[in-house]
Amino acid sequence: MLQIESINESNYDLALQFIKSVPSITNISNEILNNAVLVNEDGRIVATIAYEEYDHVGLIRYFVFKKNLSIIVLEQLINKIIENAKAKGLNKLVSIADGDNVEELFKNLSFFELKKIVYCNEERLSNSFSYSKFLCKNI
């Protein structure tokens, strides 16, 4: 049975191991992981999503999931992270999409493309991610 839950003491280590299983994620921030939501299937983590806080914006991080998860489950995961972000006073979630598949996924989750310049801690992100698209969801 699938359960969508916020990160807590009882599932933290499982979530950490799940994220560490992704070769492209080399450094995992505990601060970001504490903002995570996960999908637990009978004691196994099958999806995570977290955000890094910047003022009133959450930058999506650690969005990892098994390919066989349905869009309905991913929507429930997004809804839970939105609920958590709202409780912390955030008003937007932003994702950096590298590739058409990731962009399409976020658009299916009701994110829209930002056509403007994006700054993070006074650094212009569009310089660092020239081949990526910025997608946003107001919450």
Side-chain angles (χ1 to χ4, degrees):
M1 174 183 228
L2 294 176
Q3 293 180 313
I4 297 173
E5 51 194 37
S6 297
I7 195 95
N8 59 49
E9 285 183 20
S10 67
N11 60 27
Y12 187 91
D13 289 337
L14 287 172
L16 183 60
Q17 291 308 312
F18 178 73
I19 294 169
K20 281 183 175 180
S21 72
V22 179
S24 61
I25 301 177
T26 54
N27 295 320
I28 299 170
S29 162
N30 288 331
E31 183 178 333
I32 297 169
L33 192 53
N34 284 325
N35 291 329
V37 172
L38 50 90
V39 178
N40 186 331
E41 182 178 36
D42 302 321
R44 288 185 352 222
I45 306 303
V46 295
T48 62
I49 187 170
Y51 59 84
E52 188 170 2
E53 294 180 50
Y54 293 97
D55 196 19
H56 294 290
V57 176
L59 175 62
I60 298 289
R61 303 284 303 271
Y62 310 144
F63 191 22
V64 180
F65 56 93
K66 300 287 182 185
K67 290 183 180 182
N68 63 344
L69 286 180
S70 70
I71 191 71
I72 294 168
V73 172
L74 295 176
E75 287 171 344
Q76 292 170 343
L77 187 65
I78 290 289
N79 289 338
K80 182 67 173 169
I81 199 91
I82 287 170
E83 178 184 311
N84 291 1
K86 278 184 180 179
K88 286 193 160 191
L90 277 63
N91 57 30
K92 283 184 183 145
L93 289 177
V94 175
S95 174
I96 301 170
D98 287 332
D100 293 338
N101 291 341
V102 177
E103 178 185 354
E104 182 180 340
L105 172 63
F106 276 100
K107 285 183 176 178
N108 286 335
L109 294 169
S110 301
F111 281 69
F112 61 90
E113 187 175 346
L114 289 172
K115 298 282 187 183
K116 58 185 178 182
I117 298 170
V118 178
Y119 289 87
C120 183
N121 290 342
E122 299 184 25
E123 178 186 344
R124 186 175 174 172
L125 285 182
S126 50
N127 291 340
S128 302
F129 299 96
S130 58
Y131 299 106
S132 303
K133 293 196 178 166
F134 294 88
L135 299 153
C136 179
K137 182 172 183 81
N138 295 318
I139 57 175

